Amino acid sequence: VYVNRVARVVKGGRRFRFQALVIIGDHQGRVGIGVSKGADVTASVSKATSVAKKNLVKLSIYKGTLTHEVAGKVAGAKILIMPAAPGTGLIAGGVVRTILEVAGIENALSKSFGSANRINTAYATLEALSKMSPSHKWITTKGKNLKKPKVDK
């Protein structure tokens, strides 16, 4: 998703390394984020991919969208993600959109507050998505689970 060139200053000049942010997912509710540094781009991407594979998280998806509205905060990055009606699509930008796509979420709205740092935004999005409770914990069928209280006269 993102490759950053970082430098450290030594006696002879600058030494450059590369930092990679990788997001992997199976489009069926599993998503992982990895960040790593390496001497060149391919090394940093492969290291970040292995980190992302180790940190896969299972998400609860309900009819192609989120089960309910969620928010996440990491450092200065704040993310609000809301479910959307079928046909809405993903209304999200940058890293948030990528995470939602690879997770398999088809309809969602999102708003990013605070920092625009891609790494913190990615972790805030993952934190928000992992807070979702599965649909079977909050969906009830109409009238079946409701009992009217008895009133004594």
Side-chain angles (χ1 to χ4, degrees), residues 19-91:
Q19 179 185 42
L21 169 66
V22 173
I23 298 167
I24 61 169
D26 63 354
H27 298 277
Q28 294 175 2
R30 285 171 31 120
V31 66
I33 295 175
V35 178
S36 187
K37 292 180 188 172
D40 59 352
V41 175
T42 55
S44 62
V45 168
S46 63
K47 285 163 95 176
T49 304
S50 66
V51 170
K53 285 179 184 175
K54 290 177 187 172
N55 297 323
L56 281 174
V57 177
K58 179 73 175 143
L59 308 174
S60 16
I61 298 176
Y62 178 71
K63 294 184 180 177
T65 188
L66 308 178
T67 55
H68 55 84
E69 187 175 301
V70 287
K73 181 180 183 300
V74 170
K78 299 176 200 82
I79 296 292
L80 176 65
I81 309 170
M82 296 163 282
T88 304
L90 284 176
I91 299 177

Side-chain angles (χ1 to χ4, degrees), residues 62-63 135-147:
Y62 178 71
K63 294 184 180 177
S135 59
H136 65 81
K137 289 192 176 183
W138 57 266
I139 293 180
T140 60
T141 55
K142 289 186 180 180
K144 287 189 177 180
N145 296 337
L146 302 176
K147 290 185 179 179

Side-chain angles (χ1 to χ4, degrees), residues 2-3 6-7 9 14 16 25 36 48 59 61 63 68 75 80 97 99 103 115 126 131 134-135 138 148-149:
Y2 174 63
V3 176
V6 292
V9 180
R14 293 187 187 98
F16 294 105
S36 187
L59 308 174
I61 298 176
K63 294 184 180 177
H68 55 84
L80 176 65
R97 181 183 198 92
I99 292 173
S115 173
L126 194 64
K131 284 183 184 177
S135 59
W138 57 266
K148 292 184 181 178

